[in-house]
Amino acid sequence: MRLQLTDKPGISYLEENLTTFAGLLRSEGLPVGTAEMIDVLKALEIIDLSSREQFKATLQATMVKSRRDQAVFSKVFDHFFLTPEDQFLREEELDRREHELEQRLAEANQDLQFKGEALQLSFEELQQYSALSAEQRNQLKDFMQKTENGKNVEPRFKPVLETIVKSHLRYCRDRDSEKRNSAANFGAADGAGSGGGAEDYLRELDIAAIATSDLPTAEQLLQKLSRKLAIKILRRRRSGPRSGPLDFRRSIRDNMQYGGLIFKIRRRPKRRSRQQILLLCDVSASMKSYSTFVIQFMYGLHEAVRDLTCFSFSDNLENLDADIKGKVALNRLLDRVIRRSKNWGGGTDIGRALGRLMGDYPDRVNMKTTLIVVSDTKTVALEQSIKELKKIKERVRRVIWLNPLPLDRWADYRSVALVSELVEMWPCSTIAQLEEVLAGRL
Amino acid sequence: MGLTLGELRSSFKEAGYICDEQTVLTVFLALDLKKPLLIEGAPGVGKTEMGKVLAQVLGSELIRLQCYEGLDETKALYEWNYQRQLLRIQMNRNLEEAEIREEDLFSDRYLLERPLLKAIRSEEQAVLLIDEVDKCDPEFEAFLFEVLSDFQVSIPELGTIPARNIPVVVLTSNNERELSDGLKRRCLYLYLDFPAVEKEVEIIKAKVPGVADRLAWEIARVVARLRRQPDLRKKPSIAETLDWTRALQALDRSRLDGKVVADTLNLLLKTRADQQLFAGQIGPEGIEQAINDKKCGGEACGCS
């Protein structure tokens, strides 16, 4: 089949489109490399290019290397390779949206005026305003009205008002962005599709944003992932039959029966030290939903990994070991923790919790211990907390800090900077991040 | 490979392997591009069967390497028969023959050929099935790279041995652990899911001759219902569906009811927890509902 060439010498439209498509897949996290592109081009030579199904199936077979990525691939493919009819509808839709946007921006300019003059807001800020709910917009308009009608309010107050409005819009944007997931650009996964699609959606969604109706699916996903990780950890502990160095003494002794000829080789089994894991979960108000998920994840791990101790902390430390080892059903475990914990939903004192850990459980804090802390680092007595963290860091093998704050907000908090200077800190606001961090570090 | 897409499709059907168009096309591409095929999916969906069927369709020898934790090159690629080498040295010493050269001891005669080497050195194109590759260690996975990308192996004493005939390589994985990007990059990828009700009926009729049409449909609907149960630890596989079908045939059943399902449940649900879950959340009533759900199995049905 002869392909139509672009202006660039030797490059056909198909090749150009495939390259752009591959770039889109990469931006969605799929590892599509040159090798895959070569496979695609070779494969397309032997299929019926006029068949959309065969074309899609061929691209999927060559470019997608996991089940999880298949759903993403399918969405990107359907949005990129449009039929002529879909292309026409898409263009109409884009025109309509552009027109709507222009209208909304004009309305925003109209709404956000002070003493007859429009506020100096950027295009993005006007967009953010128009994206607010009607209630939020009315609240802002109300505020501006009252400000304008206040006593002794002069036109030179305009910059102050602009700053207030901008801060408010930024606050709304930050709060909303925590609830958005990476699939938003191609339409949110409907969750009502196959179990695989809903799970993939939940993996990438901020834990705090998971709806109550999705919690059972999220819990199953956690169980699946923690079981997988437990198998991985157990496997690492077992040594293979031929993995160790040669054991001369046993080899010679075993081969005495053959007159000293070495017929059988004996190997020394590799010694793998059992890793002790201490988990500290911040259960303060902002951390509640994240801690719930981490405890569930570690609870699933606990069935296979025996040397794991879980603690909850806020202003004080509580040992959850007895509840978890008593195989209390997870729902009841968490209810009990909430009821019994004097500190659930309260403020956080990381330093005090660490101090108590070292003081009350000195046998658990040793060089075989990996300490995992789940916290957004927001604490009272920050300097004292850093001191305690330094002390405990010297006593354990490793400290892994899981921070559910979005990565782009880490720079806003001094506590994050201080803690991350001392220990390795990883984002864990989604199930996918939690899995990735723990699978790579345990 | 001389088979066209249509011929491959027909061959699979003749061999009794029922699959969808995506599967046939992916296998076709793997054969034509001479790329290894990595098949992932839950246990019992037909991954290993694909390797066997391919060998049958292509008329090739099936060479199987069953992976397990601790598998290394001595069990997968080659091992020197050092007992024989030592005996040869000993005999040579006793008979006072001329000194043996090192090359004599490290020759084919003393080489124990394992599956990978066998596939590489096969006189005709073979199908190499590397089963449950996710069970082996990451180190062994890295060892496979040379075989999968260049279809050659390196033996220090003998040098690099390229394949006489590039084998058809099929790797299967239950996804118990994430495979490395290096391995995936060298393969075409295929995910086999549990079949939809209609497809499962086709499979049952193909694999269990003489099964009543009504029974096949009811079995497929019941199994689909069980697979939809969200907290089931182990979903029934296709193999278990077929076992159950044969068992029901042996019991002279031509249709299902809640009681017979509950009585023969151990053929489908293999853990105590799952059986208790069935009793608590589905029960005979749930099964009766699934059996009578005529909508299940049509195009709009999402069962799979």
Side-chain angles (χ1 to χ4, degrees):
Chain A
M1 183 178 176
R2 224 167 138 212
L3 300 174
Q4 198 178 353
L5 297 177
T6 61
D7 298 334
K8 299 166 194 145
I11 310 262
S12 68
Y13 278 115
L14 177 63
E15 286 157 352
E16 195 172 59
N17 284 336
L18 284 172
T19 309
T20 310
F21 179 64
L24 281 177
L25 290 178
R26 282 181 208 120
S27 70
E28 289 298 314
L30 272 70
V32 179
T34 315
E36 282 78 21
M37 291 304 295
I38 293 171
D39 287 342
V40 164
L41 292 170
K42 281 185 188 169
L44 291 177
E45 286 174 10
I46 56 174
I47 62 148
D48 178 9
L49 274 180
S50 63
S51 162
R52 184 182 169 87
E53 289 72 30
Q54 280 199 18
F55 182 70
K56 185 177 181 181
T58 301
L59 262 59
Q60 182 171 296
T62 46
M63 291 172 128
V64 181
K65 305 293 180 176
S66 75
R67 170 70 165 158
R68 193 188 320 157
D69 290 342
Q70 280 180 348
V72 175
F73 165 85
S74 196
K75 281 196 180 68
V76 176
F77 182 92
D78 290 341
H79 277 81
F80 187 80
F81 290 104
L82 298 170
T83 60
E85 299 78 18
D86 288 341
Q87 177 72 20
F88 176 73
L89 289 172
R90 166 73 67 86
E91 278 165 11
E92 272 199 344
E93 174 70 13
L94 284 173
D95 286 340
R96 186 188 66 76
R97 283 191 192 176
E98 207 175 308
H99 180 65
E100 264 182 27
L101 180 63
E102 279 168 9
Q103 271 187 317
R104 284 205 306 267
L105 292 179
E107 281 170 16
N109 258 322
Q110 192 65 30
D111 289 346
L112 299 173
Q113 291 199 349
F114 178 70
K115 302 278 185 202
E117 270 187 40
L119 298 182
Q120 295 292 317
L121 299 175
S122 67
F123 175 76
E124 287 75 24
E125 284 160 345
L126 288 171
Q127 264 195 307
Q128 278 158 28
Y129 172 80
S130 61
L132 295 176
S133 66
E135 190 187 339
Q136 287 170 317
R137 287 201 302 273
N138 287 337
Q139 276 176 354
L140 195 53
K141 278 193 284 186
D142 202 39
F143 164 75
M144 290 191 55
Q145 189 71 31
K146 284 178 181 166
T147 306
E148 191 165 333
N149 296 337
K151 281 184 184 173
N152 302 322
V153 175
E154 299 173 15
R156 62 192 173 92
F157 284 172
K158 187 173 167 225
V160 175
L161 188 60
E162 278 170 4
T163 306
I164 294 171
V165 168
K166 286 180 184 185
S167 297
H168 181 74
L169 290 173
R170 202 165 40 243
Y171 166 75
C172 291
R173 179 203 67 192
D174 288 349
R175 192 187 56 192
D176 290 344
S177 73
E178 282 178 17
K179 294 177 183 175
R180 272 201 299 270
N181 63 55
S182 65
N185 285 336
F186 290 94
D190 56 16
S194 71
E199 282 186 358
D200 291 340
Y201 168 69
L202 289 173
R203 278 172 61 90
E204 304 297 337
L205 185 62
D206 191 296
I207 287 170
I210 295 178
T212 313
S213 55
D214 287 332
L215 282 177
T217 314
E219 279 169 26
Q220 281 153 38
L221 178 59
L222 278 179
Q223 277 176 25
K224 212 193 289 185
L225 295 176
S226 63
R227 217 177 295 147
K228 241 178 156 174
L229 181 54
I231 290 171
K232 189 179 174 187
I233 292 171
L234 281 172
R235 271 195 182 165
R236 278 205 214 119
R237 294 218 183 117
R238 281 188 240 127
S239 56
R242 293 176 179 273
S243 55
L246 183 64
D247 188 338
F248 283 111
R249 194 171 167 184
R250 272 183 68 210
S251 298
I252 290 169
R253 192 182 309 131
D254 284 0
N255 287 288
M256 296 286 279
Q257 59 186 306
Y258 304 116
L261 286 172
I262 308 293
F263 275 116
K264 293 179 189 171
I265 302 280
R266 297 293 181 215
R267 295 189 179 272
R268 216 188 299 272
K270 264 189 196 166
R271 288 181 194 280
R272 295 185 197 261
S273 58
R274 289 167 65 89
Q275 214 181 158
Q276 288 182 10
I277 302 174
L278 281 185
L279 174 68
L280 295 189
C281 278
D282 185 343
V283 295
S284 56
S286 60
M287 288 292 305
K288 190 173 155 190
S289 47
Y290 299 106
S291 292
T292 308
F293 268 71
V294 176
I295 290 173
Q296 282 181 332
F297 189 90
M298 298 307 284
Y299 180 72
L301 211 56
H302 201 271
E303 290 176 339
V305 178
R306 283 186 213 98
D307 45 7
L308 166 68
T309 315
C310 293
F311 293 87
S312 68
F313 75 95
S314 178
D315 62 334
N316 215 335
L317 191 73
E318 285 205 36
N319 190 338
L320 303 178
D321 224 24
D323 293 303
I324 291 176
K325 280 184 177 159
K327 297 191 192 299
V328 177
L330 193 54
N331 294 341
R332 283 170 53 205
L333 163 66
L334 294 177
D335 284 343
R336 256 209 242 168
V337 167
I338 293 168
R339 271 201 310 273
R340 199 180 64 210
S341 172
K342 304 167 197 70
N343 49 42
W344 190 286
T348 310
D349 189 341
I350 294 174
R352 188 170 174 184
L354 292 175
R356 266 206 63 193
L357 182 64
M358 285 186 281
D360 296 354
Y361 304 92
D363 54 321
R364 310 272 179 101
V365 181
N366 55 55
M367 290 312 286
K368 284 186 187 169
T369 300
T370 296
L371 174 63
I372 302 175
V373 182
V374 185
S375 171
D376 54 11
T377 75
K378 294 178 191 169
T379 179
V380 301
L382 175 61
E383 304 303 336
Q384 183 60 27
S385 300
I386 297 298
K387 268 191 197 162
E388 296 293 336
L389 184 59
K390 274 185 193 159
K391 274 192 218 166
I392 204 169
K393 187 191 165 192
E394 280 160 19
R395 288 177 58 174
V396 298
R397 180 166 161 254
R398 195 175 176 191
V399 179
I400 302 171
W401 198 288
L402 303 181
N403 188 345
L405 279 177
L407 206 54
D408 55 4
R409 290 181 58 196
W410 284 18
D412 298 341
Y413 295 92
R414 185 168 164 260
S415 55
V416 173
L418 290 176
V419 171
S420 59
E421 268 172 30
L422 276 181
V423 299
E424 54 176 300
M425 184 182 287
W426 300 94
C428 77
S429 57
T430 67
I431 295 174
Q433 284 173 342
L434 187 63
E435 184 203 3
E436 194 184 326
V437 170
L438 293 179
R441 264 131 212 101
L442 287 182
Chain B
M1 188 213 60
L3 290 176
T4 63
L5 182 60
E7 284 167 350
L8 186 65
R9 196 184 293 119
S10 315
S11 303
F12 273 173
K13 212 162 185 174
E14 276 166 26
Y17 191 85
I18 313 293
C19 58
D20 59 21
E21 201 53 33
Q22 168 83 48
T23 303
V24 177
L25 182 65
T26 308
V27 173
F28 173 73
L29 290 172
L31 292 175
D32 208 279
L33 297 177
K34 294 184 172 39
K35 297 269 297 186
L37 177 65
L38 171 62
I39 309 177
E40 270 191 351
V45 293
K47 303 184 295 294
T48 304
E49 189 66 17
M50 169 65 82
K52 294 177 186 173
V53 165
L54 258 182
Q56 186 185 330
V57 161
L58 298 174
S60 303
E61 183 191 0
L62 176 70
I63 299 171
R64 184 172 180 170
L65 173 64
Q66 177 63 48
C67 295
Y68 52 88
E69 195 188 332
L71 177 67
D72 59 11
E73 59 266 25
T74 58
K75 282 284 181 284
L77 182 61
Y78 78 100
E79 191 177 10
W80 289 111
N81 191 344
Y82 63 90
Q83 289 100 330
R84 196 174 177 181
Q85 287 169 324
L86 283 167
L87 280 170
R88 182 73 181 87
I89 294 168
Q90 194 67 19
M91 278 167 56
N92 192 64
R93 199 181 294 157
N94 290 345
L95 295 173
E96 294 177 0
E97 286 177 0
E99 211 168 296
I100 308 172
R101 295 176 311 165
E102 192 177 325
E103 301 87 74
D104 295 331
L105 284 177
F106 292 103
S107 61
D108 262 7
R109 206 171 159 199
Y110 299 95
L111 186 66
L112 292 172
E113 211 177 55
R114 305 296 192 207
L116 290 182
L117 188 58
K118 192 176 175 190
I120 291 288
R121 300 200 328 171
S122 175
E123 291 294 336
E124 295 187 4
Q125 187 188 49
V127 172
L128 173 61
L129 174 62
I130 303 177
D131 211 8
E132 297 186 343
V133 69
D134 56 320
K135 286 200 162 62
C136 69
D137 303 317
E139 293 79 12
F140 184 77
E141 223 183 278
F143 165 74
L144 285 176
F145 288 173
E146 191 183 10
V147 174
L148 298 179
S149 49
D150 301 325
F151 296 102
Q152 67 185 30
V153 292
S154 297
I155 296 176
E157 296 85 359
L158 299 179
T160 303
I161 306 174
R164 281 184 196 148
N165 294 283
I166 294 178
V168 174
V169 182
V170 177
L171 301 99
T172 71
S173 165
N174 290 331
N175 205 21
E176 274 184 21
R177 69 169 177 89
E178 191 72 24
L179 297 175
S180 66
D181 285 348
L183 182 74
K184 289 183 185 178
R185 191 181 69 71
R186 287 164 169 80
C187 307
L188 294 192
Y189 179 83
L190 175 64
Y191 183 83
L192 287 185
D193 205 347
F194 289 115
V197 171
E198 275 174 346
K199 267 278 179 295
E200 190 137 31
V201 171
E202 270 189 72
I203 295 171
I204 291 171
K205 286 181 176 173
K207 294 290 191 186
V208 186
V211 63
D213 187 61
R214 180 176 182 162
L215 181 64
W217 274 98
E218 288 180 354
I219 287 171
R221 286 192 193 118
V222 166
V223 172
R225 171 63 186 89
L226 290 175
R227 288 180 187 144
R228 277 205 310 274
Q229 190 62 30
D231 30 9
L232 208 64
R233 209 170 161 107
K234 188 196 164 302
K235 295 182 183 181
S237 66
I238 299 173
E240 281 153 346
T241 305
L242 295 173
D243 286 342
W244 192 39
T245 309
R246 291 183 191 108
L248 291 167
Q249 246 192 347
L251 293 171
D252 274 329
R253 304 293 307 200
S254 58
R255 55 168 302 189
L256 291 181
D257 55 54
K259 187 178 178 312
V260 74
V261 170
D263 289 345
T264 52
L265 197 65
N266 52 327
L267 281 130
L268 283 178
L269 301 180
K270 302 284 175 71
T271 70
R272 186 78 185 121
D274 285 346
Q275 290 174 359
Q276 286 173 335
L277 186 90
F278 171 86
Q281 294 191 22
I282 306 175
E285 302 78 27
I287 292 301
E288 293 283 355
Q289 240 179 348
I291 290 167
N292 297 321
D293 187 0
K294 293 282 190 298
K295 283 186 215 152
C296 189
E299 268 187 30
C301 180
C303 295
S304 72

